[in-house]
Amino acid sequence: DAISDLPPMDISSFKKENKLSDKEIIALLPGSREQEVKKMLEVMLSVRSYFKDYQFVIAGAPSLPKEFYRDFVDNDVHFVSNKTYDLLRCSKAALVTSGTATLETALLKIPEVVCYRGSTISYEIAKRLVKHIKYISLVNLIMDKEVVKELIQRDLNTQNLTTELQLILQGKKRETILEEYEVLRSKLGGVGASDKAAEIIVSP
C-alpha cells in the first residue's frame, strides 16, 4: 500500500518547520466536524498532565479554520494543518477518532487508541442496527479481533485513556500492536488493497 511505503521522515526537520519542541509527539486526530472535534479534544487533552515528557500535536481538519484550534493550543499542545501523514510519521503514538484515519494510522505503523463518543440516542440506534459488528475501527474489523483499543462512549474517559496511552507508548502492548500491523499490512498489501479491505469488511 502506498501509505505504508512512504520514505522515513526527518523528524527533526518536521519539528523545526512546525515550531515544535524536541519532545516526542503524541498525535491527536479528533475528526473533522466542529462539535465532534471540540468534544474529542476536550477528552484527549484531559490526559496531558500525565504525559509531561511528550508534546501533543493536533492534526487540523481542512474543513475547519485554523482559528478554531486556538483555544486548544499552548506550550505543550500544538497544531499542524494539512500534514496529517507527516505528523503521524513523526509521532510516538496517536489518539484517533474512529473513521478511515484509524486504518491510515495503522498503515503508517503508529500505535493508536481509537476514540468515539456520540450522542446517546445516535449510539443506541446504531448499536441496534449493526448488532453483528463487534468493532468500530477498520483495523479491528479487518483483523477480526482487538488489535487496537477502542474506547467508546462512557469508556472514553481520562482514566481509561491515560492507561491505554501509557501501554502503547512503551512495552509489550506496543510491540504486539506493531507486530499485528505487519499482519494487517500483508492482508491489504499489493494491488487492489482498497478492494480487499472492502471485501473483508462486508464478508459474513
Side-chain angles (χ1 to χ4, degrees), residues 130-177:
V130 290
K131 288 181 180 178
H132 62 288
I133 295 180
K134 292 181 286 185
Y135 307 108
I136 63 169
S137 69
L138 289 173
V139 177
N140 292 345
L141 284 167
I142 292 168
M143 295 289 284
D144 195 28
K145 64 178 179 178
E146 186 183 86
V147 173
V148 294
K149 185 67 177 181
E150 299 178 354
L151 295 178
I152 305 170
Q153 297 298 92
R154 292 179 183 176
D155 288 338
L156 179 59
N157 56 54
T158 304
Q159 182 177 352
N160 288 343
L161 205 50
T162 299
T163 298
E164 296 302 327
L165 185 52
Q166 287 172 335
L167 287 172
I168 66 171
L169 284 169
Q170 55 189 345
K172 181 62 179 173
K173 178 73 177 282
R174 179 182 178 86
E175 293 172 11
T176 300
I177 289 176

mmCIF file of all heavy atoms in Angstrom, residues 130-177:
data_model
loop_
_atom_site.group_PDB
_atom_site.id
_atom_site.type_symbol
_atom_site.label_atom_id
_atom_site.label_comp_id
_atom_site.label_asym_id
_atom_site.label_seq_id
_atom_site.Cartn_x
_atom_site.Cartn_y
_atom_site.Cartn_z
ATOM 1 N N VAL A 130 -26.610 -2.466 13.881
ATOM 2 C CA VAL A 130 -25.439 -3.256 13.476
ATOM 3 C C VAL A 130 -24.991 -4.193 14.598
ATOM 4 O O VAL A 130 -23.837 -4.210 14.999
ATOM 5 C CB VAL A 130 -24.272 -2.337 13.031
ATOM 6 C CG1 VAL A 130 -24.586 -1.669 11.724
ATOM 7 C CG2 VAL A 130 -23.959 -1.283 14.101
ATOM 8 N N LYS A 131 -25.924 -4.987 15.089
ATOM 9 C CA LYS A 131 -25.647 -5.891 16.215
ATOM 10 C C LYS A 131 -24.527 -6.878 15.914
ATOM 11 O O LYS A 131 -23.803 -7.313 16.790
ATOM 12 C CB LYS A 131 -26.917 -6.666 16.574
ATOM 13 C CG LYS A 131 -27.977 -5.816 17.256
ATOM 14 C CD LYS A 131 -29.192 -6.674 17.605
ATOM 15 C CE LYS A 131 -30.260 -5.845 18.291
ATOM 16 N NZ LYS A 131 -31.475 -6.648 18.587
ATOM 17 N N HIS A 132 -24.388 -7.254 14.643
ATOM 18 C CA HIS A 132 -23.414 -8.284 14.290
ATOM 19 C C HIS A 132 -21.996 -7.738 14.174
ATOM 20 O O HIS A 132 -21.053 -8.511 14.024
ATOM 21 C CB HIS A 132 -23.813 -8.932 12.956
ATOM 22 C CG HIS A 132 -23.825 -7.968 11.800
ATOM 23 N ND1 HIS A 132 -24.786 -6.996 11.663
ATOM 24 C CD2 HIS A 132 -22.983 -7.834 10.749
ATOM 25 C CE1 HIS A 132 -24.537 -6.299 10.565
ATOM 26 N NE2 HIS A 132 -23.450 -6.781 10.002
ATOM 27 N N ILE A 133 -21.820 -6.416 14.244
ATOM 28 C CA ILE A 133 -20.482 -5.837 14.115
ATOM 29 C C ILE A 133 -19.869 -5.671 15.506
ATOM 30 O O ILE A 133 -20.428 -4.999 16.369
ATOM 31 C CB ILE A 133 -20.527 -4.485 13.376
ATOM 32 C CG1 ILE A 133 -20.987 -4.707 11.927
ATOM 33 C CG2 ILE A 133 -19.150 -3.814 13.397
ATOM 34 C CD1 ILE A 133 -21.064 -3.436 11.104
ATOM 35 N N LYS A 134 -18.711 -6.300 15.705
ATOM 36 C CA LYS A 134 -18.087 -6.309 17.028
ATOM 37 C C LYS A 134 -17.207 -5.095 17.297
ATOM 38 O O LYS A 134 -16.948 -4.762 18.452
ATOM 39 C CB LYS A 134 -17.240 -7.582 17.186
ATOM 40 C CG LYS A 134 -18.053 -8.860 17.239
ATOM 41 C CD LYS A 134 -17.167 -10.079 17.429
ATOM 42 C CE LYS A 134 -16.419 -10.433 16.156
ATOM 43 N NZ LYS A 134 -15.644 -11.691 16.301
ATOM 44 N N TYR A 135 -16.728 -4.468 16.245
ATOM 45 C CA TYR A 135 -15.780 -3.366 16.406
ATOM 46 C C TYR A 135 -16.210 -2.148 15.587
ATOM 47 O O TYR A 135 -17.028 -2.269 14.673
ATOM 48 C CB TYR A 135 -14.383 -3.809 15.964
ATOM 49 C CG TYR A 135 -13.911 -5.079 16.632
ATOM 50 C CD1 TYR A 135 -13.831 -6.284 15.922
ATOM 51 C CD2 TYR A 135 -13.550 -5.088 17.975
ATOM 52 C CE1 TYR A 135 -13.407 -7.456 16.537
ATOM 53 C CE2 TYR A 135 -13.121 -6.261 18.599
ATOM 54 C CZ TYR A 135 -13.059 -7.438 17.871
ATOM 55 O OH TYR A 135 -12.641 -8.589 18.492
ATOM 56 N N ILE A 136 -15.621 -0.995 15.913
ATOM 57 C CA ILE A 136 -15.931 0.210 15.150
ATOM 58 C C ILE A 136 -14.742 0.688 14.314
ATOM 59 O O ILE A 136 -14.920 1.473 13.395
ATOM 60 C CB ILE A 136 -16.401 1.365 16.060
ATOM 61 C CG1 ILE A 136 -15.283 1.786 17.033
ATOM 62 C CG2 ILE A 136 -17.660 0.985 16.812
ATOM 63 C CD1 ILE A 136 -15.579 3.080 17.766
ATOM 64 N N SER A 137 -13.553 0.222 14.623
ATOM 65 C CA SER A 137 -12.377 0.676 13.866
ATOM 66 C C SER A 137 -12.091 -0.271 12.708
ATOM 67 O O SER A 137 -12.264 -1.491 12.824
ATOM 68 C CB SER A 137 -11.149 0.761 14.776
ATOM 69 O OG SER A 137 -10.730 -0.522 15.182
ATOM 70 N N LEU A 138 -11.639 0.287 11.601
ATOM 71 C CA LEU A 138 -11.325 -0.526 10.429
ATOM 72 C C LEU A 138 -10.225 -1.535 10.723
ATOM 73 O O LEU A 138 -10.238 -2.646 10.195
ATOM 74 C CB LEU A 138 -10.910 0.379 9.267
ATOM 75 C CG LEU A 138 -12.039 1.200 8.637
ATOM 76 C CD1 LEU A 138 -11.481 2.193 7.620
ATOM 77 C CD2 LEU A 138 -13.062 0.292 7.977
ATOM 78 N N VAL A 139 -9.284 -1.161 11.564
ATOM 79 C CA VAL A 139 -8.185 -2.072 11.912
ATOM 80 C C VAL A 139 -8.729 -3.358 12.528
ATOM 81 O O VAL A 139 -8.417 -4.471 12.083
ATOM 82 C CB VAL A 139 -7.205 -1.400 12.892
ATOM 83 C CG1 VAL A 139 -6.110 -2.380 13.314
ATOM 84 C CG2 VAL A 139 -6.582 -0.157 12.274
ATOM 85 N N ASN A 140 -9.571 -3.217 13.535
ATOM 86 C CA ASN A 140 -10.113 -4.388 14.224
ATOM 87 C C ASN A 140 -11.119 -5.148 13.366
ATOM 88 O O ASN A 140 -11.200 -6.381 13.432
ATOM 89 C CB ASN A 140 -10.764 -3.965 15.540
ATOM 90 C CG ASN A 140 -9.744 -3.472 16.555
ATOM 91 O OD1 ASN A 140 -8.549 -3.699 16.405
ATOM 92 N ND2 ASN A 140 -10.214 -2.787 17.569
ATOM 93 N N LEU A 141 -11.879 -4.424 12.561
ATOM 94 C CA LEU A 141 -12.844 -5.072 11.670
ATOM 95 C C LEU A 141 -12.140 -5.975 10.663
ATOM 96 O O LEU A 141 -12.552 -7.111 10.419
ATOM 97 C CB LEU A 141 -13.686 -4.022 10.933
ATOM 98 C CG LEU A 141 -14.785 -3.342 11.748
ATOM 99 C CD1 LEU A 141 -15.314 -2.124 11.007
ATOM 100 C CD2 LEU A 141 -15.913 -4.320 12.043
ATOM 101 N N ILE A 142 -11.069 -5.462 10.078
ATOM 102 C CA ILE A 142 -10.334 -6.223 9.072
ATOM 103 C C ILE A 142 -9.619 -7.417 9.703
ATOM 104 O O ILE A 142 -9.617 -8.520 9.161
ATOM 105 C CB ILE A 142 -9.323 -5.318 8.340
ATOM 106 C CG1 ILE A 142 -10.070 -4.285 7.484
ATOM 107 C CG2 ILE A 142 -8.385 -6.139 7.464
ATOM 108 C CD1 ILE A 142 -9.191 -3.167 6.960
ATOM 109 N N MET A 143 -9.045 -7.204 10.880
ATOM 110 C CA MET A 143 -8.319 -8.274 11.560
ATOM 111 C C MET A 143 -9.247 -9.227 12.314
ATOM 112 O O MET A 143 -8.842 -10.305 12.727
ATOM 113 C CB MET A 143 -7.304 -7.671 12.527
ATOM 114 C CG MET A 143 -6.198 -6.874 11.835
ATOM 115 S SD MET A 143 -5.039 -7.925 10.945
ATOM 116 C CE MET A 143 -4.087 -8.579 12.329
ATOM 117 N N ASP A 144 -10.486 -8.802 12.523
ATOM 118 C CA ASP A 144 -11.498 -9.584 13.242
ATOM 119 C C ASP A 144 -11.046 -9.929 14.659
ATOM 120 O O ASP A 144 -11.300 -11.026 15.172
ATOM 121 C CB ASP A 144 -11.871 -10.859 12.475
ATOM 122 C CG ASP A 144 -13.165 -11.488 12.994
ATOM 123 O OD1 ASP A 144 -14.009 -10.742 13.515
ATOM 124 O OD2 ASP A 144 -13.312 -12.722 12.891
ATOM 125 N N LYS A 145 -10.378 -8.988 15.289
ATOM 126 C CA LYS A 145 -10.003 -9.100 16.698
ATOM 127 C C LYS A 145 -9.535 -7.740 17.184
ATOM 128 O O LYS A 145 -9.302 -6.835 16.371
ATOM 129 C CB LYS A 145 -8.881 -10.134 16.893
ATOM 130 C CG LYS A 145 -7.563 -9.797 16.229
ATOM 131 C CD LYS A 145 -6.544 -10.893 16.549
ATOM 132 C CE LYS A 145 -5.217 -10.626 15.889
ATOM 133 N NZ LYS A 145 -4.203 -11.669 16.225
ATOM 134 N N GLU A 146 -9.387 -7.600 18.478
ATOM 135 C CA GLU A 146 -8.969 -6.311 19.015
ATOM 136 C C GLU A 146 -7.450 -6.153 18.916
ATOM 137 O O GLU A 146 -6.698 -6.670 19.743
ATOM 138 C CB GLU A 146 -9.400 -6.139 20.472
ATOM 139 C CG GLU A 146 -9.101 -4.737 20.999
ATOM 140 C CD GLU A 146 -9.446 -4.563 22.465
ATOM 141 O OE1 GLU A 146 -8.591 -4.895 23.308
ATOM 142 O OE2 GLU A 146 -10.564 -4.098 22.753
ATOM 143 N N VAL A 147 -7.028 -5.455 17.905
ATOM 144 C CA VAL A 147 -5.617 -5.114 17.739
ATOM 145 C C VAL A 147 -5.343 -3.792 18.448
ATOM 146 O O VAL A 147 -4.368 -3.637 19.172
ATOM 147 C CB VAL A 147 -5.250 -5.012 16.244
ATOM 148 C CG1 VAL A 147 -3.825 -4.475 16.073
ATOM 149 C CG2 VAL A 147 -5.394 -6.369 15.571
ATOM 150 N N VAL A 148 -6.220 -2.817 18.203
ATOM 151 C CA VAL A 148 -6.104 -1.514 18.860
ATOM 152 C C VAL A 148 -7.278 -1.338 19.813
ATOM 153 O O VAL A 148 -8.375 -1.806 19.556
ATOM 154 C CB VAL A 148 -6.064 -0.361 17.827
ATOM 155 C CG1 VAL A 148 -4.801 -0.449 16.990
ATOM 156 C CG2 VAL A 148 -7.296 -0.361 16.922
ATOM 157 N N LYS A 149 -7.029 -0.677 20.923
ATOM 158 C CA LYS A 149 -8.077 -0.476 21.927
ATOM 159 C C LYS A 149 -9.092 0.543 21.429
ATOM 160 O O LYS A 149 -8.730 1.618 20.945
ATOM 161 C CB LYS A 149 -7.453 0.012 23.240
ATOM 162 C CG LYS A 149 -8.454 0.133 24.387
ATOM 163 C CD LYS A 149 -8.973 -1.225 24.803
ATOM 164 C CE LYS A 149 -9.918 -1.128 25.985
ATOM 165 N NZ LYS A 149 -10.414 -2.455 26.408
ATOM 166 N N GLU A 150 -10.376 0.205 21.579
ATOM 167 C CA GLU A 150 -11.461 1.109 21.239
ATOM 168 C C GLU A 150 -12.115 1.594 22.530
ATOM 169 O O GLU A 150 -12.632 0.795 23.302
ATOM 170 C CB GLU A 150 -12.510 0.401 20.369
ATOM 171 C CG GLU A 150 -11.966 -0.104 19.053
ATOM 172 C CD GLU A 150 -13.002 -0.847 18.226
ATOM 173 O OE1 GLU A 150 -14.132 -1.083 18.732
ATOM 174 O OE2 GLU A 150 -12.681 -1.200 17.079
ATOM 175 N N LEU A 151 -12.061 2.891 22.761
ATOM 176 C CA LEU A 151 -12.728 3.481 23.918
ATOM 177 C C LEU A 151 -13.976 4.197 23.411
ATOM 178 O O LEU A 151 -13.876 5.210 22.716
ATOM 179 C CB LEU A 151 -11.793 4.441 24.653
ATOM 180 C CG LEU A 151 -10.564 3.800 25.304
ATOM 181 C CD1 LEU A 151 -9.698 4.857 25.968
ATOM 182 C CD2 LEU A 151 -10.982 2.739 26.334
ATOM 183 N N ILE A 152 -15.144 3.645 23.762
ATOM 184 C CA ILE A 152 -16.404 4.099 23.194
ATOM 185 C C ILE A 152 -17.338 4.620 24.284
ATOM 186 O O ILE A 152 -17.475 4.011 25.346
ATOM 187 C CB ILE A 152 -17.096 2.943 22.438
ATOM 188 C CG1 ILE A 152 -16.147 2.356 21.384
ATOM 189 C CG2 ILE A 152 -18.392 3.403 21.790
ATOM 190 C CD1 ILE A 152 -16.648 1.062 20.764
ATOM 191 N N GLN A 153 -18.000 5.750 23.995
ATOM 192 C CA GLN A 153 -18.975 6.355 24.880
ATOM 193 C C GLN A 153 -18.421 6.534 26.295
ATOM 194 O O GLN A 153 -17.422 7.198 26.472
ATOM 195 C CB GLN A 153 -20.263 5.528 24.877
ATOM 196 C CG GLN A 153 -20.979 5.473 23.514
ATOM 197 C CD GLN A 153 -21.441 6.818 23.007
ATOM 198 O OE1 GLN A 153 -20.732 7.499 22.266
ATOM 199 N NE2 GLN A 153 -22.655 7.223 23.379
ATOM 200 N N ARG A 154 -19.024 5.939 27.311
ATOM 201 C CA ARG A 154 -18.598 6.146 28.697
ATOM 202 C C ARG A 154 -17.189 5.626 28.966
ATOM 203 O O ARG A 154 -16.523 6.088 29.900
ATOM 204 C CB ARG A 154 -19.580 5.468 29.655
ATOM 205 C CG ARG A 154 -20.960 6.104 29.683
ATOM 206 C CD ARG A 154 -21.880 5.365 30.633
ATOM 207 N NE ARG A 154 -23.223 5.924 30.623
ATOM 208 C CZ ARG A 154 -24.248 5.425 31.307
ATOM 209 N NH1 ARG A 154 -24.061 4.346 32.048
ATOM 210 N NH2 ARG A 154 -25.439 5.985 31.245
ATOM 211 N N ASP A 155 -16.757 4.653 28.184
ATOM 212 C CA ASP A 155 -15.401 4.129 28.373
ATOM 213 C C ASP A 155 -14.332 5.129 27.945
ATOM 214 O O ASP A 155 -13.160 4.984 28.305
ATOM 215 C CB ASP A 155 -15.217 2.830 27.583
ATOM 216 C CG ASP A 155 -15.969 1.665 28.203
ATOM 217 O OD1 ASP A 155 -16.274 1.733 29.417
ATOM 218 O OD2 ASP A 155 -16.276 0.699 27.485
ATOM 219 N N LEU A 156 -14.738 6.116 27.150
ATOM 220 C CA LEU A 156 -13.799 7.149 26.737
ATOM 221 C C LEU A 156 -13.739 8.219 27.827
ATOM 222 O O LEU A 156 -14.529 9.161 27.864
ATOM 223 C CB LEU A 156 -14.228 7.765 25.400
ATOM 224 C CG LEU A 156 -13.321 8.895 24.871
ATOM 225 C CD1 LEU A 156 -11.892 8.400 24.667
ATOM 226 C CD2 LEU A 156 -13.881 9.463 23.579
ATOM 227 N N ASN A 157 -12.813 8.032 28.740
ATOM 228 C CA ASN A 157 -12.638 8.979 29.843
ATOM 229 C C ASN A 157 -11.153 9.118 30.156
ATOM 230 O O ASN A 157 -10.320 8.372 29.633
ATOM 231 C CB ASN A 157 -13.427 8.525 31.077
ATOM 232 C CG ASN A 157 -13.061 7.116 31.527
ATOM 233 O OD1 ASN A 157 -11.889 6.814 31.752
ATOM 234 N ND2 ASN A 157 -14.063 6.241 31.655
ATOM 235 N N THR A 158 -10.835 10.071 30.993
ATOM 236 C CA THR A 158 -9.434 10.390 31.292
ATOM 237 C C THR A 158 -8.670 9.188 31.826
ATOM 238 O O THR A 158 -7.548 8.905 31.391
ATOM 239 C CB THR A 158 -9.357 11.545 32.309
ATOM 240 O OG1 THR A 158 -10.067 12.667 31.796
ATOM 241 C CG2 THR A 158 -7.902 11.940 32.562
ATOM 242 N N GLN A 159 -9.267 8.458 32.760
ATOM 243 C CA GLN A 159 -8.578 7.323 33.377
ATOM 244 C C GLN A 159 -8.249 6.237 32.352
ATOM 245 O O GLN A 159 -7.102 5.760 32.279
ATOM 246 C CB GLN A 159 -9.441 6.736 34.495
ATOM 247 C CG GLN A 159 -8.770 5.567 35.218
ATOM 248 C CD GLN A 159 -9.603 5.041 36.380
ATOM 249 O OE1 GLN A 159 -10.618 5.628 36.745
ATOM 250 N NE2 GLN A 159 -9.181 3.928 36.956
ATOM 251 N N ASN A 160 -9.239 5.831 31.567
ATOM 252 C CA ASN A 160 -9.007 4.769 30.579
ATOM 253 C C ASN A 160 -8.050 5.217 29.493
ATOM 254 O O ASN A 160 -7.189 4.444 29.042
ATOM 255 C CB ASN A 160 -10.334 4.340 29.949
ATOM 256 C CG ASN A 160 -11.205 3.552 30.909
ATOM 257 O OD1 ASN A 160 -10.732 3.045 31.917
ATOM 258 N ND2 ASN A 160 -12.489 3.461 30.604
ATOM 259 N N LEU A 161 -8.195 6.455 29.076
ATOM 260 C CA LEU A 161 -7.329 6.976 28.019
ATOM 261 C C LEU A 161 -5.883 7.045 28.495
ATOM 262 O O LEU A 161 -4.952 6.696 27.753
ATOM 263 C CB LEU A 161 -7.825 8.368 27.594
ATOM 264 C CG LEU A 161 -7.484 8.861 26.187
ATOM 265 C CD1 LEU A 161 -7.835 7.826 25.129
ATOM 266 C CD2 LEU A 161 -8.203 10.176 25.904
ATOM 267 N N THR A 162 -5.688 7.447 29.735
ATOM 268 C CA THR A 162 -4.339 7.506 30.309
ATOM 269 C C THR A 162 -3.717 6.111 30.365
ATOM 270 O O THR A 162 -2.567 5.907 29.955
ATOM 271 C CB THR A 162 -4.382 8.104 31.729
ATOM 272 O OG1 THR A 162 -4.901 9.433 31.669
ATOM 273 C CG2 THR A 162 -2.989 8.135 32.352
ATOM 274 N N THR A 163 -4.488 5.149 30.840
ATOM 275 C CA THR A 163 -3.999 3.764 30.955
ATOM 276 C C THR A 163 -3.596 3.212 29.595
ATOM 277 O O THR A 163 -2.508 2.646 29.435
ATOM 278 C CB THR A 163 -5.088 2.860 31.564
ATOM 279 O OG1 THR A 163 -5.387 3.325 32.891
ATOM 280 C CG2 THR A 163 -4.623 1.410 31.634
ATOM 281 N N GLU A 164 -4.471 3.367 28.606
ATOM 282 C CA GLU A 164 -4.210 2.790 27.288
ATOM 283 C C GLU A 164 -3.066 3.499 26.571
ATOM 284 O O GLU A 164 -2.268 2.854 25.882
ATOM 285 C CB GLU A 164 -5.483 2.832 26.434
ATOM 286 C CG GLU A 164 -6.616 1.981 26.968
ATOM 287 C CD GLU A 164 -6.238 0.516 27.120
ATOM 288 O OE1 GLU A 164 -5.428 0.000 26.322
ATOM 289 O OE2 GLU A 164 -6.763 -0.130 28.046
ATOM 290 N N LEU A 165 -2.971 4.799 26.743
ATOM 291 C CA LEU A 165 -1.884 5.540 26.107
ATOM 292 C C LEU A 165 -0.542 5.139 26.699
ATOM 293 O O LEU A 165 0.447 4.963 25.976
ATOM 294 C CB LEU A 165 -2.125 7.045 26.255
ATOM 295 C CG LEU A 165 -1.138 7.989 25.548
ATOM 296 C CD1 LEU A 165 -0.976 7.629 24.070
ATOM 297 C CD2 LEU A 165 -1.597 9.438 25.693
ATOM 298 N N GLN A 166 -0.491 4.961 28.005
ATOM 299 C CA GLN A 166 0.748 4.509 28.646
ATOM 300 C C GLN A 166 1.182 3.152 28.095
ATOM 301 O O GLN A 166 2.370 2.903 27.880
ATOM 302 C CB GLN A 166 0.557 4.437 30.161
ATOM 303 C CG GLN A 166 0.509 5.801 30.831
ATOM 304 C CD GLN A 166 0.115 5.725 32.300
ATOM 305 O OE1 GLN A 166 -0.551 4.781 32.734
ATOM 306 N NE2 GLN A 166 0.505 6.738 33.067
ATOM 307 N N LEU A 167 0.217 2.265 27.853
ATOM 308 C CA LEU A 167 0.517 0.927 27.370
ATOM 309 C C LEU A 167 1.100 0.921 25.957
ATOM 310 O O LEU A 167 1.904 0.040 25.624
ATOM 311 C CB LEU A 167 -0.758 0.059 27.397
ATOM 312 C CG LEU A 167 -1.243 -0.392 28.775
ATOM 313 C CD1 LEU A 167 -2.599 -1.060 28.659
ATOM 314 C CD2 LEU A 167 -0.238 -1.332 29.420
ATOM 315 N N ILE A 168 0.689 1.878 25.122
ATOM 316 C CA ILE A 168 1.176 1.859 23.733
ATOM 317 C C ILE A 168 2.405 2.732 23.506
ATOM 318 O O ILE A 168 2.998 2.694 22.436
ATOM 319 C CB ILE A 168 0.068 2.253 22.728
ATOM 320 C CG1 ILE A 168 -0.350 3.717 22.903
ATOM 321 C CG2 ILE A 168 -1.118 1.313 22.849
ATOM 322 C CD1 ILE A 168 -1.270 4.208 21.802
ATOM 323 N N LEU A 169 2.798 3.488 24.519
ATOM 324 C CA LEU A 169 4.000 4.313 24.361
ATOM 325 C C LEU A 169 5.277 3.488 24.536
ATOM 326 O O LEU A 169 6.307 3.798 23.948
ATOM 327 C CB LEU A 169 3.988 5.477 25.354
ATOM 328 C CG LEU A 169 3.044 6.628 24.981
ATOM 329 C CD1 LEU A 169 2.901 7.604 26.147
ATOM 330 C CD2 LEU A 169 3.543 7.360 23.732
ATOM 331 N N GLN A 170 5.197 2.433 25.317
ATOM 332 C CA GLN A 170 6.354 1.561 25.502
ATOM 333 C C GLN A 170 5.908 0.228 26.098
ATOM 334 O O GLN A 170 4.845 0.140 26.699
ATOM 335 C CB GLN A 170 7.388 2.220 26.422
ATOM 336 C CG GLN A 170 6.848 2.648 27.769
ATOM 337 C CD GLN A 170 7.854 3.483 28.536
ATOM 338 O OE1 GLN A 170 9.032 3.513 28.197
ATOM 339 N NE2 GLN A 170 7.403 4.159 29.575
ATOM 340 N N GLY A 171 6.724 -0.791 25.884
ATOM 341 C CA GLY A 171 6.425 -2.081 26.479
ATOM 342 C C GLY A 171 5.811 -3.092 25.525
ATOM 343 O O GLY A 171 5.767 -2.895 24.307
ATOM 344 N N LYS A 172 5.312 -4.177 26.102
ATOM 345 C CA LYS A 172 4.831 -5.326 25.337
ATOM 346 C C LYS A 172 3.626 -4.991 24.463
ATOM 347 O O LYS A 172 3.530 -5.456 23.326
ATOM 348 C CB LYS A 172 4.466 -6.456 26.303
ATOM 349 C CG LYS A 172 3.970 -7.727 25.622
ATOM 350 C CD LYS A 172 5.037 -8.334 24.714
ATOM 351 C CE LYS A 172 4.549 -9.610 24.060
ATOM 352 N NZ LYS A 172 5.510 -10.134 23.055
ATOM 353 N N LYS A 173 2.690 -4.214 24.997
ATOM 354 C CA LYS A 173 1.486 -3.876 24.217
ATOM 355 C C LYS A 173 1.875 -3.139 22.933
ATOM 356 O O LYS A 173 1.327 -3.408 21.858
ATOM 357 C CB LYS A 173 0.549 -3.010 25.062
ATOM 358 C CG LYS A 173 -0.720 -2.539 24.342
ATOM 359 C CD LYS A 173 -1.715 -3.661 24.154
ATOM 360 C CE LYS A 173 -3.001 -3.176 23.498
ATOM 361 N NZ LYS A 173 -3.895 -2.470 24.443
ATOM 362 N N ARG A 174 2.820 -2.239 23.032
ATOM 363 C CA ARG A 174 3.282 -1.510 21.856
ATOM 364 C C ARG A 174 3.889 -2.470 20.827
ATOM 365 O O ARG A 174 3.588 -2.396 19.634
ATOM 366 C CB ARG A 174 4.310 -0.451 22.273
ATOM 367 C CG ARG A 174 4.866 0.350 21.096
ATOM 368 C CD ARG A 174 5.912 1.364 21.549
ATOM 369 N NE ARG A 174 6.444 2.057 20.389
ATOM 370 C CZ ARG A 174 5.888 3.129 19.843
ATOM 371 N NH1 ARG A 174 4.777 3.629 20.343
ATOM 372 N NH2 ARG A 174 6.430 3.713 18.789
ATOM 373 N N GLU A 175 4.729 -3.371 21.294
ATOM 374 C CA GLU A 175 5.380 -4.335 20.402
ATOM 375 C C GLU A 175 4.343 -5.225 19.710
ATOM 376 O O GLU A 175 4.442 -5.501 18.514
ATOM 377 C CB GLU A 175 6.359 -5.198 21.193
ATOM 378 C CG GLU A 175 7.555 -4.423 21.736
ATOM 379 C CD GLU A 175 8.400 -5.268 22.667
ATOM 380 O OE1 GLU A 175 8.174 -6.501 22.724
ATOM 381 O OE2 GLU A 175 9.266 -4.711 23.359
ATOM 382 N N THR A 176 3.339 -5.650 20.472
ATOM 383 C CA THR A 176 2.292 -6.519 19.916
ATOM 384 C C THR A 176 1.504 -5.803 18.831
ATOM 385 O O THR A 176 1.213 -6.380 17.771
ATOM 386 C CB THR A 176 1.333 -6.989 21.031
ATOM 387 O OG1 THR A 176 2.082 -7.713 22.012
ATOM 388 C CG2 THR A 176 0.238 -7.862 20.460
ATOM 389 N N ILE A 177 1.148 -4.538 19.080
ATOM 390 C CA ILE A 177 0.401 -3.759 18.076
ATOM 391 C C ILE A 177 1.209 -3.638 16.796
ATOM 392 O O ILE A 177 0.685 -3.833 15.692
ATOM 393 C CB ILE A 177 0.043 -2.363 18.619
ATOM 394 C CG1 ILE A 177 -1.039 -2.469 19.687
ATOM 395 C CG2 ILE A 177 -0.432 -1.442 17.485
ATOM 396 C CD1 ILE A 177 -1.393 -1.156 20.340
#
